[in-house]
Amino acid sequence: MASAILIKNANLYAPEPRGIQDILIINQSIVKIAPQLDPSAIGLPLNVIDANGRKVVPGYVDQHVHIIGGGGESGPYSRTPEMLLSDITTAGVTTLVGVLGTDGTSRHSETLLAKARGLTHEGITAYMLTGSYELPLHTITVDGRKDIIVINDCLGIGEIALSDHRSSEPTKEELKRVLTQARLGGMLSGKAGVVQFHMGVGKKGMEMLFEILEESEIPGKHMIPTHVNRAFHLFEQAKELARKGGYIDITSGIREQDGFPACVKPSDAIAELYNEGIPMKQVTMSSDANGCMSVVLEDGTVRQLAVSMYSLHEEIKDAILAGVPVEVVLSVVTSNPARANGLYPQKGCIAEDSDADLVVLDEDLEIATVIAKGKVMVEEKVVKVKGTFER
């Protein structure tokens, strides 16, 4: 029998403001949005959720997550473990893209694929990128193009490190070939065919990406440099790339006290881009969740901390409180990353026929309830669905 949820009196941001609406969900999809829906006319057993005028927003799309763990750069003990389902849902994330990161030796794309499929089975929607920091690419099939074409869960390539001491120092010609692989793979599979670039704080920043845009026929929409707010010069380059049609990805949770002395606070970055008239549809934000951060304690010792996914929501809240329009802030973590990765309008919005991925925010803009693919995962801040091995 079909399952149905009726959300009443939602102050709907889809992410654009829609006013007070009722939202009918049947199985995994949103089937009707209207100012008033009569429960007795629906003809199905209903779970009625009264939002009482609280904001209801699309489930967050986090396009840069270390779902099988990151880190390891301080030795094997600093490898982070795999993510748990409830760590994701309590952060309001209903769709994510998994990446490998630094370690393409002891971690593998095959494991990343298996974890993405496991999380999808548990209730959210998870994808992956093939490859890691280094070139040549570590792939599942013979190359990145074929991974994108034959593996449904694979959306693109990345994260490839640039301007970073951990980079394999790829040449411009190598980057062109990787971008072309992603573009062709996307064209032949009906996907976005993107390449995520891990941006370090090196002086050259995105120079090679600008040169590729100038010299080749590769559109900017295939480029997603991430961590663009970790250095001032990098952030200025990001503004120019967005003007040229590339996507730029802010990383949440970055703070000066965490070892980024020349960084731009993520919520401040959103506000600055908006106030300067940068095309906001080209701006995304991801969490880099479950990567590893080395923190120096007062006694001089180093502690390894896994990066929290919840920082994504914290930056959203801060940016809204700073005066950036709600719909602009929400688009950075919903419709924009969904479009960038070829998932819109199935993901990243609240619309009829879209997947039923929604977040209810309370009066303090905190996450209260999370619905993923039509199933209540978190209800009034209580986890209702746990992962297979969660206690």
Side-chain angles (χ1 to χ4, degrees):
M1 179 180 289
S3 61
I5 297 173
L6 179 61
I7 302 177
K8 298 286 292 180
N9 305 309
N11 183 6
L12 177 59
Y13 283 81
E16 66 281 355
R18 294 277 305 276
I20 301 299
Q21 301 282 341
D22 291 353
I23 305 165
L24 176 62
I25 298 166
I26 297 179
N27 294 332
Q28 296 188 13
S29 299
I30 297 168
V31 298
K32 187 70 174 176
I33 299 172
Q36 287 289 332
L37 292 173
D38 181 4
S40 64
I42 292 170
L44 289 171
L46 277 177
N47 174 13
V48 179
I49 299 173
D50 193 343
N52 287 309
R54 294 187 293 184
K55 291 180 176 62
V56 177
V57 306
Y60 303 155
V61 179
D62 193 341
Q63 65 178 348
H64 188 97
V65 187
H66 296 278
I67 54 176
I68 61 170
E73 295 167 24
S74 295
Y77 82 96
S78 64
R79 292 161 51 93
T80 61
E82 292 191 2
M83 290 196 75
L84 299 175
L85 177 68
S86 63
D87 291 335
I88 298 166
T89 55
T90 53
V93 173
T94 56
T95 302
L96 60 78
V97 181
V99 297
L100 280 184
T102 315
D103 185 2
T105 301
S106 66
R107 290 190 172 96
H108 312 100
S109 294
E110 291 87 346
T111 313
L112 186 66
L113 173 61
K115 178 66 175 179
R117 288 177 174 173
L119 288 171
T120 296
H121 176 81
E122 289 178 336
I124 65 165
T125 305
Y127 299 96
M128 63 165 286
L129 300 180
T130 189
S132 61
Y133 269 25
E134 63 188 301
L135 296 181
L137 289 174
H138 294 271
T139 61
I140 296 175
T141 65
V142 294
D143 58 33
R145 177 189 58 84
K146 191 170 184 179
D147 278 11
I148 296 168
I149 293 170
V150 304
I151 301 171
N152 288 339
D153 323 68
C154 182
L155 300 180
I157 295 170
E159 55 177 318
I160 296 173
L162 297 179
S163 296
D164 192 286
H165 64 95
R166 296 159 293 182
S167 167
S168 59
E169 299 295 339
T171 66
K172 184 168 58 179
E173 295 307 313
E174 287 176 318
L175 293 182
K176 285 181 182 179
R177 282 192 288 273
V178 169
L179 281 160
T180 299
Q181 281 189 348
R183 176 168 169 77
L184 288 175
M187 291 171 64
L188 294 172
S189 61
K191 300 175 184 175
V194 295
V195 181
Q196 272 194 35
F197 294 99
H198 162 101
M199 298 308 307
V201 297
K203 290 183 292 185
K204 291 187 176 181
M206 303 181 197
E207 284 183 11
M208 278 201 289
L209 299 185
F210 286 114
E211 291 173 8
I212 291 170
L213 282 176
E214 184 68 27
E215 299 171 1
S216 75
E217 291 72 42
I218 300 169
K221 66 179 182 179
H222 295 284
M223 301 177 179
I224 307 181
T226 189
H227 317 316
V228 299
N229 56 312
R230 64 171 40 177
F232 295 148
H233 71 284
L234 195 59
F235 191 57
E236 291 304 313
Q237 287 182 321
K239 296 175 184 178
E240 184 60 25
L241 186 66
R243 293 188 186 101
K244 292 179 178 292
Y247 286 97
I248 57 173
D249 190 53
I250 298 164
T251 300
S252 63
I254 288 180
R255 294 290 190 276
E256 183 176 342
Q257 60 267 31
D258 293 329
F260 299 97
C263 72
V264 182
K265 182 182 174 184
S267 55
D268 291 346
I270 294 171
E272 184 173 331
L273 293 168
Y274 173 71
N275 291 330
E276 291 187 13
I278 302 300
M280 292 305 292
K281 286 188 176 181
Q282 304 305 120
V283 180
T284 63
M285 182 167 64
S286 61
S287 68
D288 199 17
N290 214 33
C292 185
M293 180 182 296
S294 298
V295 177
V296 180
L297 304 179
E298 290 183 0
D299 62 3
T301 60
V302 178
R303 182 182 178 190
Q304 306 297 326
L305 297 176
V307 177
S308 168
M309 181 176 275
Y310 197 81
S311 65
L312 197 68
H313 178 71
E314 291 174 336
E315 305 296 354
I316 295 165
K317 180 179 176 180
D318 286 352
I320 292 172
L321 294 176
V324 182
V326 175
E327 61 271 24
V328 173
V329 178
L330 289 174
S331 68
V332 170
V333 293
T334 59
S335 56
N336 293 357
R339 283 192 178 94
N341 290 280
L343 304 176
Y344 188 89
Q346 182 182 8
K347 302 291 185 182
C349 64
I350 298 176
E352 293 177 3
D353 297 324
S354 295
D355 283 356
D357 298 335
L358 308 96
V359 176
V360 181
L361 304 178
D362 68 15
E363 294 76 7
D364 298 318
L365 297 179
E366 298 295 343
I367 295 168
T369 295
V370 179
I371 298 172
K373 292 186 294 189
K375 187 170 185 177
V376 177
M377 310 298 282
V378 179
E379 184 175 15
E380 295 301 329
K381 302 182 182 180
V382 176
V383 175
K384 307 300 287 186
V385 178
K386 293 185 177 182
T388 307
F389 296 103
E390 289 191 63
R391 295 182 179 180

